[in-house]
Amino acid sequence: MTAASPCSGRSTCSCCTKSAVISLRDRNLQLCGDHFREDLEARVSQTVRENTMIRDGDRIAVALSGGKDSTALLLLLDKVVKDYTGVSLAAITVDEGIAGYREDTVVSAVRLAADLGIEHRIVSFPELFGASLDTFLKGKETRACTVCGILRKKALATAAQQAGADRLATGHNLNDEAQSVLMNVLRGDLPRLIRDSGKETEFFIPRIKPLQEISEKEIAVYLMIRGAWRELPECPYTRYALRAEVRTMLSKLEYDYPGTMKRLIQSRKTLSACLKKSDVSGPLQHCKQCGDPCSRELCQVCSLLPSLRL
Ligand SMILES: [Zn+2]
Ligand SMILES: [Zn+2]
């Protein structure tokens, strides 16, 4: 089915005679731009349908940082929702206050939402928590991703509730999900590993991840095809994270052993199904301070904020 063009050294699309723009090694497929776009859009639709991520009449809040993943997510959901009746989208951008990074992506987010004619709201850390991430992190940079992750989740859930949304969609891709599995294993955090595979219990609004089976590389190529590719700065805090090392390691493994990331996620599903009956995360209760649902006395946000007091 596949044929390499002897002159260019580039391969031909597995479905037509055009040049391939991407090689999907785990599926042994080479696809041209048109066939890749069609294939990816169909796979996202299928993920959404099979996991009942969207129902008729839903209002979906979409986390839109303005970076690659969330840009692709909004472009794709804008198409996917047309298969349903009465579904509306509301894009949400969280401005954490990261100098030299977030400004550009916020501009990008505003432009995209306007181009697609989608309602858009921006919430900021200073307005929700009293200070920017940069201010919170002075001298505590090594905790950046943990602190930011907890506060961002809360900010998104709050904004999604304000928007009257039934669900919150985030741009987590295959690489992110595989990294999370491995990180939880490396930290010995089994409860979290299991919790990540199911519904989010920490907040009221169920979260959906329509790009969970799409790789970082596929998202980049999709954005190029859609003319939505933009070179944006990297978050200055990522170099402090365990995730950065896990990311490099997994990319190498995926290259050497195609399908590694999908198998890693499958192992989480299998493990979670085996443990379904036993309770690894404790019963759901309500935070003593803010009343949010959580698995301990205080929710993550209320436990965290005192340690960041300026
Ligand atoms: Zn083709
Ligand atoms: Zn709380």
Side-chain angles (χ1 to χ4, degrees), residues 269-309:
K269 277 189 194 152
T270 310
L271 191 60
S272 151
C274 294
L275 291 174
K276 219 173 186 174
K277 292 275 181 273
S278 59
D279 193 0
V280 285
S281 54
L284 190 64
Q285 30 186 315
H286 288 271
C287 172
K288 276 189 171 171
Q289 212 149 308
C290 73
D292 271 6
C294 60
S295 49
R296 281 150 298 157
E297 279 201 347
L298 286 179
C299 74
Q300 285 185 305
V301 175
C302 292
S303 327
L304 175 70
L305 284 175
S307 74
L308 299 175
R309 286 285 172 256

Coordinates of all heavy atoms in Angstrom, one line a residue, residues 269-309:
K269 N -5.5 1.9 32.3 CA -6.9 1.5 32.2 C -7.1 0.1 32.8 O -8.0 -0.1 33.5 CB -7.3 1.5 30.7 CG -7.7 2.8 30.2 CD -8.3 2.7 28.8 CE -8.5 4.0 28.1 NZ -8.4 3.9 26.6
T270 N -6.1 -0.8 32.4 CA -6.2 -2.1 32.9 C -6.1 -2.2 34.5 O -7.0 -2.8 35.1 CB -5.1 -3.0 32.3 OG1 -5.1 -2.8 30.9 CG2 -5.3 -4.5 32.6
L271 N -5.2 -1.5 35.0 CA -4.9 -1.4 36.4 C -6.2 -0.8 37.1 O -6.6 -1.4 38.1 CB -3.7 -0.5 36.7 CG -3.2 -0.6 38.1 CD1 -2.7 -2.0 38.5 CD2 -2.0 0.4 38.2
S272 N -6.7 0.2 36.5 CA -7.9 0.9 37.1 C -9.1 0.0 37.1 O -9.8 -0.1 38.1 CB -8.1 2.2 36.3 OG -9.4 2.5 36.4
A273 N -9.2 -0.8 36.1 CA -10.4 -1.8 36.0 C -10.2 -2.9 37.1 O -11.2 -3.3 37.7 CB -10.5 -2.4 34.6
C274 N -8.9 -3.3 37.3 CA -8.7 -4.4 38.3 C -9.0 -3.8 39.7 O -9.4 -4.6 40.6 CB -7.2 -4.8 38.3 SG -6.7 -5.6 36.8
L275 N -8.7 -2.5 39.9 CA -8.9 -2.0 41.3 C -10.2 -1.3 41.5 O -10.4 -0.7 42.5 CB -7.7 -1.0 41.5 CG -6.3 -1.5 41.6 CD1 -5.3 -0.4 41.7 CD2 -6.2 -2.5 42.8
K276 N -11.1 -1.4 40.5 CA -12.4 -0.7 40.6 C -13.1 -0.9 41.9 O -13.6 0.1 42.5 CB -13.3 -1.2 39.5 CG -14.1 -0.1 38.9 CD -14.8 -0.6 37.7 CE -15.5 0.5 37.0 NZ -16.1 0.1 35.7
K277 N -13.1 -2.1 42.5 CA -13.8 -2.4 43.7 C -13.1 -1.8 44.9 O -13.7 -1.4 45.9 CB -14.0 -3.9 43.9 CG -14.9 -4.5 42.8 CD -16.4 -4.4 43.2 CE -17.3 -5.0 42.2 NZ -17.6 -4.0 41.1
S278 N -11.8 -1.9 44.9 CA -11.1 -1.4 46.2 C -10.9 0.1 46.1 O -10.8 0.7 45.1 CB -9.7 -2.1 46.3 OG -8.9 -1.8 45.1
D279 N -11.0 0.7 47.3 CA -11.0 2.1 47.4 C -9.6 2.6 47.7 O -9.1 2.5 48.8 CB -11.9 2.5 48.5 CG -12.2 4.0 48.5 OD1 -11.7 4.7 47.6 OD2 -13.0 4.4 49.4
V280 N -8.9 3.2 46.6 CA -7.6 3.7 46.8 C -7.5 5.1 47.2 O -6.5 5.6 47.6 CB -6.7 3.4 45.6 CG1 -6.3 1.9 45.5 CG2 -7.3 3.8 44.3
S281 N -8.6 5.9 46.9 CA -8.4 7.3 47.1 C -9.3 7.9 48.2 O -9.2 9.1 48.5 CB -8.9 8.0 45.8 OG -10.1 7.6 45.4
G282 N -10.0 7.0 48.9 CA -10.8 7.5 50.1 C -12.1 8.1 49.6 O -12.3 8.4 48.5
P283 N -13.0 8.2 50.6 CA -14.4 8.7 50.2 C -14.3 10.2 49.9 O -13.5 10.9 50.4 CB -15.2 8.4 51.5 CG -14.2 8.4 52.6 CD -12.9 7.9 52.0
L284 N -15.3 10.6 49.1 CA -15.4 12.0 48.8 C -16.0 12.8 49.9 O -17.0 12.4 50.5 CB -16.3 12.1 47.5 CG -16.3 13.5 46.9 CD1 -14.9 13.9 46.3 CD2 -17.3 13.5 45.8
Q285 N -15.3 13.9 50.3 CA -15.9 14.8 51.3 C -15.8 16.2 50.8 O -15.5 16.5 49.7 CB -15.1 14.6 52.7 CG -13.6 14.2 52.5 CD -13.0 13.9 53.9 OE1 -13.2 14.6 54.8 NE2 -12.3 12.8 54.0
H286 N -16.1 17.2 51.8 CA -16.1 18.6 51.3 C -15.0 19.3 52.1 O -14.8 19.1 53.3 CB -17.5 19.2 51.5 CG -18.4 18.7 50.5 ND1 -18.6 19.3 49.3 CD2 -19.3 17.6 50.5 CE1 -19.5 18.6 48.6 NE2 -19.9 17.6 49.3
C287 N -14.3 20.2 51.4 CA -13.2 21.0 52.0 C -13.8 21.8 53.2 O -14.8 22.5 53.0 CB -12.6 21.9 51.0 SG -11.4 23.1 51.6
K288 N -13.1 21.8 54.3 CA -13.6 22.5 55.5 C -13.6 24.0 55.3 O -14.3 24.7 55.9 CB -12.7 22.2 56.7 CG -13.0 20.9 57.4 CD -12.2 20.8 58.7 CE -12.7 19.6 59.5 NZ -11.8 19.4 60.7
Q289 N -12.7 24.4 54.4 CA -12.5 25.9 54.2 C -13.4 26.5 53.1 O -14.1 27.4 53.3 CB -11.1 26.2 53.9 CG -10.7 27.5 54.5 CD -9.2 27.5 54.8 OE1 -8.7 26.7 55.6 NE2 -8.5 28.4 54.3
C290 N -13.4 25.8 52.0 CA -14.1 26.4 50.8 C -15.4 25.6 50.4 O -16.2 26.1 49.6 CB -13.2 26.6 49.6 SG -12.7 25.1 48.8
G291 N -15.5 24.4 50.9 CA -16.7 23.6 50.6 C -16.6 22.8 49.3 O -17.5 22.0 48.9
D292 N -15.4 22.9 48.5 CA -15.3 22.1 47.3 C -15.2 20.6 47.6 O -14.7 20.3 48.7 CB -14.0 22.5 46.6 CG -14.2 23.7 45.6 OD1 -15.3 24.3 45.6 OD2 -13.2 24.0 44.9
P293 N -15.7 19.8 46.7 CA -15.5 18.4 46.9 C -14.0 18.0 46.9 O -13.3 18.5 46.1 CB -16.3 17.7 45.8 CG -16.5 18.8 44.8 CD -16.3 20.1 45.4
C294 N -13.6 17.1 47.8 CA -12.2 16.7 47.8 C -12.1 15.4 48.5 O -13.0 14.9 49.1 CB -11.3 17.8 48.4 SG -11.7 18.1 50.1
S295 N -10.9 14.8 48.5 CA -10.7 13.5 49.2 C -10.1 13.6 50.6 O -9.9 12.6 51.2 CB -9.9 12.6 48.3 OG -8.7 13.3 47.8
R296 N -9.7 14.9 51.0 CA -9.2 15.0 52.3 C -9.9 16.2 53.1 O -10.9 16.7 52.5 CB -7.7 15.4 52.3 CG -6.8 14.2 52.0 CD -5.6 14.7 51.2 NE -6.0 15.2 49.9 CZ -5.2 16.0 49.2 NH1 -4.1 16.5 49.6 NH2 -5.7 16.4 48.0
E297 N -9.4 16.6 54.3 CA -10.1 17.6 55.0 C -10.1 18.9 54.3 O -11.1 19.7 54.3 CB -9.5 17.8 56.4 CG -9.9 16.8 57.4 CD -9.6 17.3 58.8 OE1 -8.9 18.3 59.0 OE2 -10.1 16.6 59.7
L298 N -9.0 19.3 53.7 CA -8.8 20.5 52.9 C -8.6 20.2 51.5 O -7.9 19.2 51.2 CB -7.6 21.3 53.5 CG -7.8 22.1 54.8 CD1 -6.5 22.8 55.1 CD2 -9.0 23.0 54.8
C299 N -9.1 20.9 50.6 CA -8.9 20.7 49.1 C -7.4 21.1 48.8 O -6.8 21.8 49.7 CB -9.9 21.5 48.3 SG -9.5 23.2 48.2
Q300 N -6.9 20.8 47.6 CA -5.5 21.1 47.3 C -5.3 22.6 47.3 O -4.2 23.0 47.8 CB -5.3 20.6 45.9 CG -5.1 19.1 45.8 CD -4.7 18.6 44.4 OE1 -5.3 19.0 43.4 NE2 -3.6 17.9 44.3
V301 N -6.2 23.4 46.9 CA -6.0 24.9 46.8 C -5.9 25.4 48.2 O -5.0 26.2 48.6 CB -7.1 25.6 46.1 CG1 -7.0 27.1 46.1 CG2 -7.2 25.1 44.6
C302 N -6.8 25.0 49.1 CA -6.8 25.5 50.5 C -5.5 25.0 51.3 O -5.1 25.7 52.2 CB -8.1 25.2 51.2 SG -9.5 26.1 50.5
S303 N -5.0 23.8 50.9 CA -3.8 23.4 51.6 C -2.6 24.1 51.1 O -1.6 24.4 51.8 CB -3.5 21.9 51.4 OG -4.7 21.1 51.2
L304 N -2.7 24.5 49.8 CA -1.5 25.1 49.1 C -1.3 26.6 49.5 O -0.2 27.1 49.8 CB -1.6 25.0 47.6 CG -0.6 25.7 46.8 CD1 0.8 25.0 46.9 CD2 -1.0 25.7 45.3
L305 N -2.4 27.4 49.4 CA -2.3 28.8 49.6 C -1.5 29.3 50.8 O -0.7 30.2 50.7 CB -3.7 29.5 49.5 CG -4.3 29.6 48.0 CD1 -5.7 30.1 48.0 CD2 -3.4 30.4 47.1
P306 N -1.7 28.7 52.0 CA -1.0 29.3 53.2 C 0.5 29.2 53.0 O 1.3 30.0 53.4 CB -1.4 28.3 54.3 CG -2.8 27.8 53.9 CD -2.7 27.7 52.4
S307 N 1.0 28.1 52.2 CA 2.4 28.0 52.0 C 3.0 29.0 51.0 O 4.2 29.1 50.8 CB 2.8 26.5 51.6 OG 2.4 26.4 50.2
L308 N 2.1 29.7 50.4 CA 2.6 30.7 49.4 C 2.4 32.1 49.9 O 2.7 33.1 49.2 CB 1.7 30.6 48.1 CG 1.8 29.2 47.3 CD1 0.8 29.2 46.2 CD2 3.2 28.9 46.8
R309 N 2.0 32.3 51.1 CA 1.8 33.6 51.7 C 3.0 34.5 51.4 O 4.1 34.1 51.7 CB 1.4 33.5 53.2 CG 0.0 33.0 53.4 CD -1.0 34.1 53.1 NE -2.4 33.5 53.2 CZ -3.1 33.2 52.1 NH1 -2.7 33.4 51.0 NH2 -4.3 32.6 52.3

